[in-house]
Amino acid sequence: MKKKIALLGSTGSIGRQTLEVADALGLAVCALSAGSNIRLIEEQARKYSPAVVAVYEEAAACDLAVRLRDTQVKVVSGLNGQIEAARIKDADTVVTAVVGTVGLLPTLTAIEEKKRIALANKETLVCAGEQVMRAAEASGAEILPVDSEHSAIFQCLHGSGKTYEKILLTASGGPFRGKSPGELEKVTVRDALCHPSWNMGRKITVDSATLMNKGLEFIEAMHLYSARPDQIDILIHPQSIVHSMVAFSDRSVIAQLSVPDMRLPIQYALTYPERQPSLTPELDLAGIGALTFENPDLKTFKCLALAQETAKIRGTACAVMNAANETAVALFLEDKISFTRIYECVLLALDRIKNIEDPSVEDILASDGEARRIVLEYYG
């Protein structure tokens, strides 16, 4: 078992649950990072006494440094601070639980340092999956997925290598499953944040409502498991008990089931290849009674269809799609655009920005910035 972790994104939903798991397993926390939630990260710093705390916003970092002046904790800021937290020598595992492309360079840094990466930042692979997986192969760093679906696939493939026929990626369907396109025109921020199965951060919850989250996971699975787009099927599974499945050439299908609880895939990434008693409640299949599956409605949930098409293009297209979506979701959460306009924002950026087929990391970050600019220019 890995004994010491650096946690990027400690104040978010995944970050807080990672600390619950760390407490249960008795893991040490060497570094923490956050965006601007000073009150919570101060509490975490005092509890875990990490060597480094990184706060992305400089003013917030200055505030935290004053608050922690009676401790030995070093406070750093900006993207370089996130990178420093990822590089910290004592940590053997880096949990990347930040949201957005801010996680890309810290993840690449941790890979260079040959650390185990417990990856909850899906944007890293969506935007630069080929570059990240090449870097991991070259350095020998492990990348273990924290998303419940990708953890499920990883577990289903255990003992089989990457020899499979198909990945069956499940989705709850979100709060608007069964709604018509007209009904989606009227949904509010409050409606979109009422996820039926999972307790997540606001951005990811909105992505789950548009099904863009499943599109991002589709791309992520392609990189993690060397899958072609035609090797991944998406199934709507409202009960959120089967977290994904893998089909093999002999027509066997292996599934991973559990109560929907992110602490389980977090723990598996931290303890792999061992299994330890977890905080997750026991699964009662008789109490659930039935598990159902259906195909997604791609005509209503256009973001999912767009993500699947973008996945075939590769290059910088996925980075553009991701950045435009992040920006549009932020505008929606601020009540500046409607729910259905999120799709329009992403489509606009993809139409306006030329794809670079074999991009560098610099090309990816530049395309990311251009997509954000275009969306804000037209809709912000």
Side-chain angles (χ1 to χ4, degrees), residues 83 148 205 216 234 277 281 318:
I83 290 171
S148 62
T205 303
L216 300 179
I234 294 175
C318 291

Side-chain angles (χ1 to χ4, degrees), residues 19-318:
L19 291 174
E20 289 183 46
V21 172
D23 289 344
L25 296 174
L27 305 183
V29 179
C30 302
L32 295 169
S33 86
S36 60
N37 189 339
I38 298 306
R39 180 195 59 77
L40 181 53
I41 201 165
E42 180 188 359
E43 291 178 10
Q44 293 173 345
R46 291 188 180 280
K47 177 176 179 180
Y48 295 99
S49 299
V52 172
V53 172
V55 179
Y56 196 81
E57 294 184 9
E58 187 171 353
C62 292
D63 183 7
L64 183 64
V66 172
R67 292 171 179 241
L68 294 177
R69 62 182 179 272
D70 61 325
T71 74
Q72 298 299 310
V73 176
K74 178 183 179 183
V75 178
V76 293
S77 66
L79 181 58
N80 287 337
Q82 304 290 315
I83 290 171
E84 182 172 343
R87 181 181 284 125
I88 190 164
K89 183 178 179 181
D90 288 345
D92 37 46
T93 299
V94 176
V95 182
T96 57
V98 294
V99 176
T101 50
V102 68
L104 174 56
L105 293 180
T107 299
L108 287 170
T109 297
I111 288 171
E112 290 173 6
E113 298 294 322
K114 298 180 171 58
K115 298 181 184 295
R116 169 178 284 188
I117 317 296
L119 186 65
N121 172 249
K122 60 175 57 66
E123 292 86 358
T124 290
L125 290 183
V126 169
C127 297
E130 292 168 2
Q131 293 81 356
V132 169
M133 297 307 288
R134 278 201 303 262
E137 184 176 2
S139 75
E142 289 182 296
I143 297 180
L144 298 182
V146 167
D147 271 349
S148 62
E149 295 83 359
H150 294 111
S151 177
I153 296 162
F154 183 77
Q155 294 178 62
C156 291
L157 287 170
H158 190 64
S160 303
K162 291 188 177 179
T163 304
Y164 61 88
E165 290 288 307
K166 223 173 238 298
I167 289 170
L168 305 174
L169 192 63
T170 59
S172 71
F176 306 135
R177 182 176 67 91
K179 299 286 187 184
S180 68
E183 288 174 304
L184 294 187
E185 293 280 355
K186 304 171 186 176
V187 304
T188 66
V189 171
R190 183 176 180 179
D191 296 332
L193 293 177
C194 293
H195 196 281
S197 304
W198 295 96
N199 180 19
M200 304 177 292
R202 286 161 61 86
K203 191 268 181 183
I204 297 174
T205 303
V206 174
D207 282 348
S208 295
T210 63
L211 293 194
M212 176 60 89
N213 195 52
K214 206 52 50 178
L216 300 179
E217 289 175 4
F218 183 96
I219 298 167
E220 198 177 2
M222 288 172 56
H223 294 298
L224 282 169
Y225 305 112
S226 303
R228 305 184 308 271
D230 65 328
Q231 284 184 290
I232 306 172
D233 287 345
I234 294 175
L235 288 172
I236 302 300
H237 170 53
Q239 296 81 20
S240 297
I241 296 300
V242 177
H243 296 294
S244 277
M245 298 173 276
V246 177
F248 296 90
S249 58
D250 61 359
R251 299 298 183 255
S252 294
V253 177
I254 296 178
Q256 187 267 327
L257 289 72
S258 71
V259 171
D261 183 343
M262 282 304 302
R263 294 174 299 181
L264 184 57
I266 291 168
Q267 176 168 305
Y268 192 69
L270 295 177
T271 64
Y272 176 81
E274 298 178 16
R275 289 187 184 271
Q276 301 286 335
S278 78
L279 300 169
T280 300
E282 185 177 354
L283 178 61
D284 177 11
L285 286 172
I288 294 165
L291 301 175
T292 61
F293 303 89
E294 61 194 60
N295 291 319
D297 179 358
L298 297 179
K299 292 183 179 179
T300 299
F301 294 95
K302 296 179 181 179
C303 282
L304 174 55
L306 183 61
Q308 289 178 298
E309 287 303 309
T310 305
K312 299 173 185 176
I313 300 171
R314 301 204 179 212
T316 53
C318 291

